[in-house]
Amino acid sequence: VTKRVVITGVGIISSLGESLPEVLHHMTEGLSAFKEVANENDNLLCRYTGCYESFDVTPYMGKKGIRQLNRCTRMLLAATGLALKDGLCSINAENQEDVGVILATNFGVEANLRDMERIIFTEGADSLSPLTSFYSSINAVASQVSIRMKAKAFNITVPAGFTSGIDSILLAKNLISSGGSRRVLVGGAEEIPMGLLKEYDRNGILAQCPSEMLPFSLRSKGIILGDGAMVLLLEDLECALARGANIYAEVDEGFIAFSPERFGEGSEVFVRNDLENFLVKNLRGAGMVDLIMSSANGSQLDGIEKNIYRELFSQGTLITAIKNQFGEGFSFTNLLQVGLGASALKVHEFPGILTLNQLQGEVVELSNRNNEQLAGVQTVLVNSVGLDGTYGSVVLKRFSN
Amino acid sequence: VGDLSGRTLWGEELPMKKRIVITGMGVVSPIGNGVDRFWKGLTEGKYGIDEVPCLDEKIFSKRLYGFIQNFDFKDFSEFKGIIGRASAFGIEATREALSQAKLLEADKTTLNKVGVIIGSLAGENGLREQAWIKYGWNSDIRRPFNFSTMPLISHNIARWFGLRGPNSTISTACSSSAYAIASACEMIRNDYAPIMVVGGVESLTLVGQGNFIRINALDSEKIRPFDRKRQGTLLGEGAGIMVIESLESAISRGVSILAEVKGIGLSCDGHHESAPDPSGRQIINATQRALSNASLSIEAIDCISVHGTGTVYNDRLETEIIKTVFGEKARDISITANKSMLGHGVGAACAMAIVAAALMMENGLVVPTINFENWDPECDLDYTVNTPHKRELRNVMVDSYAFGGNNATVIISRLNE
């Protein structure tokens, strides 16, 4: 018997709110994170993102020592503080060597890298600033958590693509299960700079406005980008019980895999079979899943997910997509799926849910469900199917001792 | 990572876990591509660093680098996808490792389960720079990719060989491949995959070289770990790839076992972006956790492949830490710093050092720390200076530290140990 791992704290920084209740409230009201980009001179076809450009870290950290930190780091540090506060957990001299950090991020230093590349090509390497040289490595973002919060068991950055959030959750679970640490702060954080938005825009995979980003819909024109930070406190169950922690959910099994072919070239059958085999092995089949947190983002991959869900799950299975309110935030939204799934198991609240048999028409309407309908949810399946070929799932269960 | 003997770091009982063994190895390095040439270079004390012509002297005031000169990229011209220098190194080293592990010609059912985890600081960021060179800075011409270049190496390795198992990238700066190995071991122990391709890959990036110049971390003459006149490190590129699997899997497949991944210890300084914690407490923790994880006493360690970057402060601190952990035994341990030959391979450094450690055990030979001319009174251990040293090796400790304070120690053992 390996150690059981539970989620005991949730911290979120997004343009749709800076706490779980606030985010859920805004989601229920049908608000979205999307705003028009401020700069009008970039000839963008898509002028909307769910990025949190205006985030102010000073209420969380004051003004001292933040000048060199990029927006991704600031959001991550704030979200980490919120997760620890929500988990009623403090890191101190006694427990700091038991607390690890794992961060999923793909674009955490993108803005810095672009700036460094610009300086090298326009001014020469001698003009680089030594004060921000640490941002030449993507682990610099997560390192700030350990430096400032004194979490010293380990510090790992997972820039593994679309599924890096689930990847990180599973790595944390395994390291706790094997006794490598008692608690792990698992984060997903991204910062989308204007240059990257322009590249996505030119490559033609963005919808031109939020109303054209329609998860699971044949009428969807593409994705909208977003960013933010999500942090979960994962903990060894015995440790959590001993300190009377508030337990959101138990992290059960999961898997990650890779498609060497591009999606659309025959790999769908592997995605389907891997998910089915995983469900049979760990849950005795798809029938045990009550709620699916899909990764649908309005792209062509939604069709793959939709077909797999139709084949594997019963018509009454609840299903949701969150990216029509946050945008595609890569590891941020990947972790957000996990966090909101855990929240659904604890507070019985989740906006924008439909049943699988509603995934039929060209347009899919997500509708709010009340607490009573979610009260019966015992098992949540969080999925990720990425444009880069990565895919995976993790199962969350209602905690029962 | 818990204690394989059945206890966690806090003394709690855990079930026995799978033993992980290495069954294939591949290398691309500045001193030779392929394991045989790599080993020949190590034993001969070959120096792989020189001025790099492609580093424009108008842009870079320091151009010494462990650049891989003799690598044939034409094999990759038909690759369907975006591929750069780093992926090519990774694929070539993986080809050699899969061949040795008898997986290169394996059936699809087997390959479908094989996973890939690569440690790297910069991933394929060199591709970004090549795109700027090709299209011009801030050009409106569309670059051929818009997703992160970090995971491209592991993705491309999987695409090239048709590997459908778990695929991940770990970046903890200079200790990336050590953490990749820790993650891959967990993958196998938790039944995510029976076999993993794991290691580290790094290639030249202008941003990397530029930033090391700006923080004054580079020696202006040569890399000379533990020498009294050392001034800093020098960077290099390369790939070290291993095939790892459970002992049961290796035995059932009938493949040769090259070494066992006996124990891993991790820790984080949580101190500073680039400087190590002067107390060395967390490095000591990583070392002791690795020993505990391997169920070994300090007496069992015959050799330490040190991080040994050649920076004034780090080499002294590492010496002090070895003496603190091992006490009197420290002077009986053979120390080797292969960065003196390879340069600092950053994310690939630990993986290349583990391949070297397995070869040292197989051949009963400790490879030298070259460029050593002047004894430093504060660095007073047996650094195997300039020439190799014959010694039967049971267990070799490989140390790996990084910016951000990401420490890792991996213990590699002969199977009968």
Side-chain angles (χ1 to χ4, degrees):
Chain A
V1 179
T2 56
K3 287 169 171 288
R4 293 169 69 184
V5 176
V6 291
I7 297 172
T8 56
V10 176
I12 177 170
I13 295 293
S14 79
S15 50
L16 210 49
E18 296 184 8
S19 72
L20 190 58
E22 187 185 10
V23 166
L24 287 171
H25 177 68
H26 287 157
M27 288 178 77
T28 308
E29 287 192 332
L31 300 179
S32 82
F34 304 123
K35 290 183 177 65
E36 191 166 3
V37 293
N39 190 339
E40 293 179 359
N41 302 319
D42 286 312
N43 299 319
L44 293 167
L45 293 172
C46 172
R47 302 199 54 77
Y48 293 87
T49 75
C51 298
Y52 198 4
E53 297 280 356
S54 60
F55 173 64
D56 178 11
V57 76
T58 53
Y60 300 95
M61 299 179 61
K63 291 183 178 175
K64 197 176 176 187
I66 61 167
R67 200 162 68 91
Q68 308 295 348
L69 301 182
N70 69 15
R71 187 164 60 85
C72 186
T73 311
R74 293 176 183 198
M75 293 192 293
L76 177 67
L77 288 169
T80 304
L82 289 170
L84 288 167
K85 188 177 174 187
D86 184 52
L88 303 173
C89 178
S90 61
I91 301 175
N92 51 47
E94 282 184 12
N95 67 12
Q96 63 184 9
E97 292 178 359
D98 304 344
V99 185
V101 176
I102 299 179
L103 176 66
T105 186
N106 295 287
F107 299 113
V109 297
E110 178 71 22
N112 304 83
L113 280 180
R114 282 172 180 267
D115 202 38
M116 290 173 189
E117 287 160 356
R118 177 187 60 75
I119 290 169
I120 283 175
F121 284 110
T122 57
E123 301 169 42
D126 287 342
S127 295
L128 290 168
S129 168
L131 295 176
T132 54
S133 63
F134 59 93
Y135 274 130
S136 60
S137 179
I138 198 166
N139 78 308
V141 179
S143 290
Q144 289 296 329
V145 175
S146 285
I147 291 167
R148 289 163 191 263
M149 310 282 184
K150 301 299 173 195
K152 298 190 174 189
F154 49 76
N155 187 298
I156 304 174
T157 297
V158 183
F162 271 77
T163 306
S164 48
I166 287 175
D167 194 338
S168 298
I169 290 281
L170 296 179
L171 179 57
K173 177 186 182 292
N174 292 338
L175 287 171
I176 293 173
S177 296
S178 66
S181 73
R182 285 176 162 158
R183 300 184 185 97
V184 181
L185 290 157
V186 187
E190 303 286 4
E191 175 185 347
I192 308 295
M194 177 56 73
L196 187 69
L197 174 66
K198 286 168 73 174
E199 285 188 16
Y200 268 87
D201 190 64
R202 285 184 213 124
N203 281 345
I205 59 173
L206 299 184
Q208 290 193 16
C209 62
S211 62
E212 292 182 350
M213 181 203 195
L214 301 165
F216 292 124
S217 175
L218 294 175
R219 290 186 194 166
S220 184
K221 299 281 178 61
I223 67 175
I224 302 276
L225 299 179
D227 66 21
M230 180 81 192
V231 175
L232 302 175
L233 177 60
L234 267 61
E235 203 163 349
D236 161 11
L237 174 61
E238 285 176 24
C239 196
L241 290 175
R243 67 181 189 88
N246 172 33
I247 295 174
Y248 281 90
E250 180 168 358
V251 181
D252 201 62
E253 292 300 324
F255 79 96
I256 55 170
F258 185 74
S259 166
E261 307 87 6
R262 292 172 198 282
F263 286 117
E265 295 177 357
S267 58
E268 291 82 347
V269 66
F270 289 98
V271 183
R272 179 203 177 282
N273 290 347
D274 282 348
L275 180 57
E276 184 174 32
N277 291 338
F278 165 74
L279 293 171
V280 168
K281 183 179 170 189
N282 294 288
L283 294 177
R284 285 172 289 150
M288 299 298 286
V289 174
D290 303 309
L291 170 63
I292 300 169
M293 305 289 297
S294 80
S295 67
N297 61 6
S299 75
Q300 57 191 4
L301 293 188
D302 292 7
I304 294 174
E305 269 193 88
K306 188 158 70 170
N307 291 338
I308 290 170
Y309 296 154
R310 281 175 177 169
E311 284 183 40
L312 295 183
F313 296 91
S314 65
Q315 291 295 300
T317 307
L318 298 174
I319 185 166
T320 188
I322 61 168
K323 292 175 185 172
N324 59 329
Q325 287 178 289
F326 291 90
E328 176 54 80
F330 308 104
S331 64
F332 161 57
T333 38
N334 207 189
L335 247 289
L336 190 59
Q337 289 171 251
V338 180
L340 292 175
S343 157
L345 287 165
K346 177 73 178 172
V347 300
H348 307 163
E349 183 182 359
F350 197 88
I353 287 185
L354 69 161
T355 52
L356 192 54
N357 59 12
Q358 291 173 280
L359 278 186
Q360 304 294 342
E362 285 193 348
V363 179
V364 174
E365 294 289 341
L366 299 169
S367 58
N368 294 337
R369 295 283 163 147
N370 60 35
N371 294 358
E372 205 173 294
Q373 287 171 295
L374 279 171
V377 171
Q378 299 290 325
T379 304
V380 175
L381 177 71
V382 182
N383 282 336
S384 176
V385 181
L387 289 160
D388 55 359
T390 57
Y391 58 96
S393 304
V394 63
V395 169
L396 307 174
K397 286 185 173 172
R398 185 184 297 269
F399 172 66
S400 167
N401 196 20
Chain B
V1 180
D3 180 344
L4 294 186
S5 65
R7 291 193 179 279
T8 68
L9 300 169
W10 301 276
E12 299 158 339
E13 201 160 322
L14 278 174
M16 282 298 286
K17 291 189 174 179
K18 289 177 186 170
R19 295 172 70 179
I20 307 294
V21 295
I22 300 170
T23 56
M25 301 192 297
V27 179
V28 172
S29 85
I31 61 168
N33 301 333
V35 167
D36 290 346
R37 288 197 187 97
F38 177 63
W39 177 244
K40 186 169 185 287
L42 288 174
T43 54
E44 290 174 351
K46 187 175 178 182
Y47 190 51
I49 294 172
D50 204 348
E51 286 209 336
V52 181
C54 67
L55 288 175
D56 187 340
E57 56 190 319
K58 290 176 194 158
I59 298 176
F60 295 97
S61 54
K62 291 179 178 174
R63 299 160 64 221
L64 291 171
Y65 188 86
F67 192 70
I68 292 170
Q69 307 276 4
N70 303 312
F71 189 88
D72 193 349
F73 290 94
K74 69 174 187 298
D75 286 353
F76 304 95
S77 57
E78 292 180 11
F79 182 72
K80 287 181 186 173
I82 301 155
I83 188 165
R85 194 173 173 82
S87 295
F89 294 160
I91 289 169
E92 196 54 41
T94 301
R95 189 200 314 276
E96 186 179 25
L98 287 174
S99 173
Q100 188 171 25
K102 295 188 166 57
L103 287 167
L104 205 51
E105 306 300 329
D107 58 76
K108 282 194 172 181
T109 310
T110 303
L111 293 176
N112 282 348
K113 295 176 185 168
V114 177
V116 184
I117 301 186
I118 296 299
S120 183
L121 182 149
E124 276 283 27
N125 285 354
L127 271 175
R128 301 163 56 99
E129 296 167 353
Q130 290 304 310
W132 297 134
I133 290 168
K134 184 175 179 183
Y135 298 123
W137 171 252
N138 228 7
S139 162
D140 276 344
I141 297 170
R142 185 193 307 171
R143 290 200 302 179
F145 49 90
N146 52 30
F147 196 68
S148 167
T149 42
M150 285 302 300
L152 267 182
I153 305 169
S154 61
H155 292 179
N156 283 341
I157 289 171
R159 287 192 177 108
W160 190 275
F161 297 104
L163 310 178
R164 295 181 179 278
N167 193 295
S168 188
T169 300
I170 301 282
S171 190
T172 58
C174 304
S175 57
S176 296
S177 48
Y179 280 80
I181 291 161
S183 178
C185 289
E186 292 296 336
M187 287 279 177
I188 293 170
R189 292 199 176 109
N190 288 283
D191 289 329
Y192 288 62
I195 300 169
M196 295 293 296
V197 169
V198 64
V201 182
E202 211 69 69
S203 71
L204 172 68
T205 67
L206 307 184
V207 164
Q209 181 77 358
N211 277 294
F212 269 77
I213 291 171
R214 284 299 287 135
I215 61 172
N216 287 323
L218 300 183
D219 196 307
S220 54
E221 296 174 17
K222 58 187 172 185
I223 179 169
R224 43 195 155 180
F226 303 103
D227 185 286
R228 183 162 42 83
K229 291 188 177 177
R230 67 189 183 276
Q231 301 166 12
T233 195
L234 290 173
L235 301 178
E237 59 186 1
I241 298 288
M242 286 155 275
V243 171
I244 64 170
E245 56 194 299
S246 68
L247 176 61
E248 293 78 9
S249 166
I251 290 170
S252 71
R253 294 199 310 113
V255 291
S256 298
I257 293 167
L258 307 174
E260 179 175 5
V261 183
K262 189 82 169 176
I264 301 176
L266 311 176
S267 71
C268 180
D269 284 0
H271 172 73
H272 187 267
E273 289 89 355
S274 53
D277 177 357
S279 77
R281 178 183 167 116
Q282 294 309 321
I283 295 180
I284 292 170
N285 271 351
T287 312
Q288 291 177 333
R289 285 173 180 179
L291 287 164
S292 164
N293 189 216
S295 301
L296 291 175
S297 70
I298 56 172
E299 298 299 329
I301 302 300
D302 301 311
C303 172
I304 301 176
S305 177
V306 288
H307 191 54
T309 54
T311 57
V312 174
Y313 184 76
N314 289 11
D315 287 1
R316 191 168 62 215
L317 179 65
E318 196 168 6
T319 300
E320 279 306 310
I321 286 167
I322 290 169
K323 289 196 280 191
T324 301
V325 173
F326 290 90
E328 283 302 308
K329 161 75 178 170
R331 297 185 193 284
D332 183 42
I333 295 173
S334 297
I335 309 286
T336 178
N338 61 36
K339 289 184 180 72
S340 61
M341 293 177 266
L342 303 166
H344 189 341
V346 198
C350 183
M352 291 200 285
I354 289 173
V355 172
L359 294 168
M360 289 196 296
M361 284 193 296
E362 182 189 339
N363 292 282
L365 194 70
V366 183
V367 299
T369 303
I370 67 164
N371 296 329
F372 191 97
E373 293 169 2
N374 308 284
W375 281 99
D376 179 345
E378 293 183 295
C379 297
D380 53 354
L381 297 175
D382 175 8
Y383 300 109
T384 322
V385 297
N386 298 330
T387 54
H389 170 64
K390 278 191 176 181
R391 179 170 183 172
E392 188 182 345
L393 301 172
R394 301 161 297 165
N395 304 290
V396 178
M397 181 176 270
V398 180
D399 289 336
S400 192
Y401 315 128
F403 282 179
N406 300 321
N407 312 306
T409 293
V410 182
I411 297 174
I412 303 298
S413 304
R414 274 170 35 187
L415 188 62
N416 58 1
E417 297 296 331

